[in-house]
Amino acid sequence: MKAQIPQNNKIKVGIIGLGRMGQFYLNAMQKSGRWDIIYICDTNPDSLEFAKKMSPDSLAVSDSQIIFEDKSVQVVGLFTLADSRLDQIEKAIQYGKHVIAEKPVADSMVKEWKVVDMLDNSNILSTVNLYLRNSWYHNLIKEYIRQGEIGELAIIRICHMTPGLAPGEGHEYEGPAFHDCGMHYVDLARWYAESDFKTWNAQGVNMWNYKDPWWLQCHGTFQNGVVYDITQGFVYGQLSKDQTHNSYVDIIGTKGIVRMTHDFKTAVVDLHGITQTLHTERPFGGKNIGTLCNLFADAIETGVRNPSLPLVYDSVIASEFAWKFL
């Protein structure tokens, strides 16, 4: 546990967007003791009133330009909708602010790759919320694989099916379900394989006569020969009397296997290797925003970027292939 940092040494941040995800970041930063939340910005008057209650020492503003022009602000948190992030990242670079962003980093692939190019040619630090990379269970599994317990990595199977949001209930700004949510699983497969996609085949189902698939399954190979299949959909019994989930990772090696399941409350990991068999159950851990914020704070304070801190490039690759599979 990190010691409390004196007020004048805290990292000064402006939060832009206090919707669902913005509130997660606000709570995580308040709990960590490492952040001085100077501003909270939102165009919704109700959100600004909520900000004043949640963080009375912060300045609640409706114009983000105030945050960018304040030289004391070191970091901006960009938690608005995807169609505003390109302009906000351009301003962050212009005014020398480090960036924590939600994904995707823009509302089209052309703009997302423009963000990558801009950041590559800037001096600011940036990261994006690919929250599964920060989960205890996936890091436990990856370390087990790294130790050689399952032999050579061969097959990655990922499934995430829940009742979830139906069309019109929240995904349209960042694409259909397989892009908004599914790109996390596209990224996770690439993260495990430590290779880039080579081939893919995909099929989807248009539920409820909606224009975009709300369930999609894709499979293929990575450049290093690892095989993957990914299934994601929010079509898993929305109207059932007692709702349930089917979320798992099943990884097969030449000598052993690892698997994980969760129900959004508890994550269960089974590791069957050549020298040890492990069974671990712990609280699921949610979006792991606190871990992301702490890793980013470390990078700002030390100037050294932890390899586990996601790159914006990683999110853009995941976004691009999620669209290709769709």
Side-chain angles (χ1 to χ4, degrees), residues 13 118 140 143 169 175 200 211 228 243 263:
V13 60
M118 289 191 306
L140 176 65
E143 174 60 21
E169 293 181 350
W200 60 91
K211 62 184 178 66
Y228 67 90
Q243 293 183 346
D263 60 1

Side-chain angles (χ1 to χ4, degrees), residues 79-326:
F79 315 130
T80 54
L81 299 176
D83 59 359
S84 64
R85 288 186 196 132
L86 173 61
D87 290 342
Q88 291 169 347
I89 291 170
E90 283 183 316
K91 286 185 179 180
I93 294 170
Q94 178 185 351
Y95 290 98
K97 314 296 186 190
H98 304 304
V99 170
I100 303 178
E102 273 299 299
K103 56 80 200 160
V105 292
D107 58 349
S108 73
M109 287 315 307
V110 171
K111 292 179 181 178
E112 286 193 67
W113 282 114
K114 182 178 180 181
V115 168
V116 171
D117 290 340
M118 289 191 306
L119 290 171
D120 283 348
N121 291 294
S122 76
N123 294 318
I124 69 169
L125 288 168
S126 60
T127 193
V128 66
N129 179 24
L130 297 173
Y131 76 94
L132 293 173
R133 292 181 176 220
N134 294 319
S135 64
W136 70 263
Y137 38 91
H138 288 308
N139 279 282
L140 176 65
I141 291 170
K142 195 167 189 184
E143 174 60 21
Y144 193 77
I145 295 170
R146 188 193 66 78
Q147 292 172 4
E149 279 289 328
I150 69 168
E152 186 178 356
L153 178 62
I155 302 163
I156 300 169
R157 302 178 62 237
I158 299 174
C159 174
H160 186 74
M161 293 192 293
T162 75
L165 298 174
E169 293 181 350
H171 288 284
E172 280 68 18
Y173 288 104
E174 298 183 358
F178 190 79
H179 184 263
D180 187 11
C181 178
M183 66 174 280
H184 281 297
Y185 302 97
V186 174
D187 175 69
L188 186 67
R190 177 173 170 266
W191 180 74
Y192 271 119
E194 297 182 354
S195 183
D196 285 318
F197 292 99
K198 181 179 181 180
T199 66
W200 60 91
N201 295 276
Q203 58 189 356
V205 175
N206 293 50
M207 302 286 281
W208 315 294
N209 296 317
Y210 190 65
K211 62 184 178 66
D212 294 314
W214 225 245
W215 178 94
L216 191 141
Q217 193 276 339
C218 57
H219 61 90
T221 59
F222 287 99
Q223 297 284 353
N224 61 2
V226 170
V227 172
Y228 67 90
D229 74 68
I230 304 168
T231 302
Q232 191 274 335
F234 291 143
V235 302
Y236 211 60
Q238 270 92 335
L239 298 179
S240 55
K241 174 180 173 290
D242 298 305
Q243 293 183 346
T244 187
H245 312 279
N246 189 6
S247 188
Y248 65 79
V249 171
D250 192 8
I251 299 179
I252 303 165
T254 55
K255 298 178 181 179
I257 64 101
V258 295
R259 63 191 181 208
M260 183 280 297
T261 62
H262 75 79
D263 60 1
F264 294 100
K265 296 177 183 178
T266 303
V268 180
V269 178
D270 286 304
L271 309 168
H272 295 261
I274 54 178
T275 68
Q276 53 183 332
T277 301
L278 301 174
H279 176 88
T280 304
E281 296 186 24
R282 291 191 221 162
F284 174 60
K287 296 286 188 181
N288 309 300
I289 300 298
T291 302
L292 179 69
C293 290
N294 276 326
L295 287 171
F296 200 59
D298 290 343
I300 292 170
E301 291 173 356
T302 66
V304 178
R305 186 187 188 99
N306 189 307
S308 64
L309 190 63
L311 297 166
V312 168
Y313 174 82
D314 295 321
S315 78
V316 174
I317 288 288
S319 176
E320 179 175 66
F321 278 91
W323 278 124
K324 285 181 177 180
F325 298 158
L326 274 161

